[in-house]
Amino acid sequence: MLKLSKKAEYAFMATIYLASHSGNEYPTAKEIADNYKIPFQLVAKILQNLAKNNIVISFQGVKGGYKLNKNPDEISLIDIIKAVETNYKLTECMLEGGDTSNCTLVDCCKIRDPLVEIQRKIDIMFQETSLKQIL
Amino acid sequence: MLKLSKKAEYAFMATIYLASHSGNEYPTAKEIADNYKIPFQLVAKILQNLAKNNIVISFQGVKGGYKLNKNPDEISLIDIIKAVETNYKLTECMLEGGDTSNCTLVDCCKIRDPLVEIQRKIDIMFQETSLKQIL
DNA sequence: TTAAATAAGACTTAAATGGTCGGACATAAC
DNA sequence: GTTATGTCCGACCATTTAAGTCTTATTTAA
Ligand code: SF4
Ligand code: SF4
């Protein structure tokens, strides 16, 4: 429990790589996968997620690849996490918008409020850490 | 990802219940399970874990049950979490003792150090929150 | 002796994660 | 225009982990 998914780890690695290789040529998914010895297909998919969320910009075709869409100090870790992770939440009842419909215990559950508070603190922590800080 | 396990949630519920029902009779696993409408066998096992870790004291036989071993303000959430959860860690490489042998990427991984720091902050947050605070 | 409780471990099922595959699309270079 | 090299995207499979169940043994008040 409380484990960060590989997706998130790989997303950190990929964005760190992009931040450190901003030359003329755009780094490719293959290049990143080789560099970190992680599965190519997976990194590719993660970069697509990051692109959808405007964290990176993708270039298709020959000489294609990726680059960061903002400066590393303008990208917070929570953006990266939320881009790749569908289940970023401490408990079932903490979907965005405070949807509590997916837990039958919600009526008699006393622990939700304190957990919401803890979730908020964790969020803030990731929010306040920028990509630049982990380069 | 970053999800708290049901085990941990149930452990919070159980300890909260014990903290709120400290009469002459010891609350039983069945009683707690019924009260929160959660699986009896599961709560029982969790209480056993808590007992092993000296967070609760168990009494066997008829009129048996459980009670807290300390005052609610002396029990921190991290104690409860660690009692029931074997995999409390942000990444594979963060087992107690800093064992990095289970990740082949550890040599070239740049994200470990910052993640260790984040893990530390999360730990502190749970450490600093006592059971009393979530009653 | 019996009933009501915990203790413990094996087992099954369900869900989430991690990883793969195949085909479509885009584009620079020849 | 053809080709090589890249992204895009959904469906799929495999593995692991979490969640829950079952069974038997043990303890103890009445
Ligand atoms: S049991 Fe409580 S904290 Fe857990 S998911 Fe349900 S409402 Fe949320
Ligand atoms: S990739 Fe890095 S952070 Fe993730 S488990 Fe391996 S060493 Fe730890």
Side-chain angles (χ1 to χ4, degrees), chain A residues 4-6 9-10 13 36 38, chain B residues 90-94 99-100 102-113 115-116:
Chain A
L4 210 60
S5 69
K6 289 284 179 192
E9 281 194 45
Y10 295 164
M13 293 177 183
Y36 290 103
I38 53 185
Chain B
L90 219 49
T91 62
E92 282 305 310
C93 59
M94 291 189 198
D99 180 6
T100 56
N102 44 358
C103 181
T104 53
L105 309 177
V106 80
D107 285 338
C108 72
C109 175
K110 286 179 162 181
I111 68 172
R112 187 168 186 274
D113 286 351
L115 289 182
V116 166

Side-chain angles (χ1 to χ4, degrees), chain B residues 1 28-29 45 48 52 58-62 65-66:
Chain B
M1 50 146 309
T28 68
K45 194 175 298 184
Q48 285 164 31
K52 270 187 195 165
S58 69
F59 301 93
Q60 283 181 276
V62 181
Y66 299 89

Side-chain angles (χ1 to χ4, degrees), chain A residues 1-120:
Chain A
M1 50 145 311
L2 264 179
K3 195 157 83 187
L4 210 60
S5 69
K6 289 284 179 192
K7 268 193 197 174
E9 281 194 45
Y10 295 164
F12 290 151
M13 293 177 183
T15 48
I16 286 174
Y17 189 92
L18 293 180
S20 320
H21 296 77
S22 50
N24 276 349
E25 304 231 316
Y26 301 127
T28 69
K30 184 84 173 51
E31 184 181 337
I32 294 170
D34 287 349
N35 184 262
Y36 290 103
K37 299 194 182 68
I38 53 185
F40 160 68
Q41 303 270 15
L42 208 40
V43 179
K45 195 177 296 184
I46 285 162
L47 283 162
Q48 286 163 30
N49 287 335
L50 293 171
K52 268 188 196 164
N53 289 273
N54 302 311
I55 292 164
V56 304
I57 299 178
S58 69
F59 300 93
Q60 283 182 274
V62 180
K63 296 273 175 189
Y66 300 88
K67 73 163 194 175
L68 290 180
N69 192 25
K70 303 177 199 167
N71 292 329
D73 58 346
E74 294 170 325
I75 300 173
S76 93
L77 296 194
I78 202 157
D79 297 332
I80 297 175
I81 289 173
K82 288 191 170 170
V84 298
E85 192 53 56
T86 50
N87 283 329
Y88 173 68
K89 57 186 176 188
L90 220 48
T91 63
E92 282 306 311
C93 60
M94 291 189 198
L95 288 169
E96 52 276 25
D99 180 7
T100 56
S101 60
N102 44 357
C103 180
T104 55
L105 308 177
V106 81
D107 285 339
C108 71
C109 174
K110 285 179 161 180
I111 67 170
R112 186 167 187 276
D113 286 351
L115 290 182
V116 166
E117 180 59 18
I118 287 169
Q119 171 82 71
R120 202 181 61 81

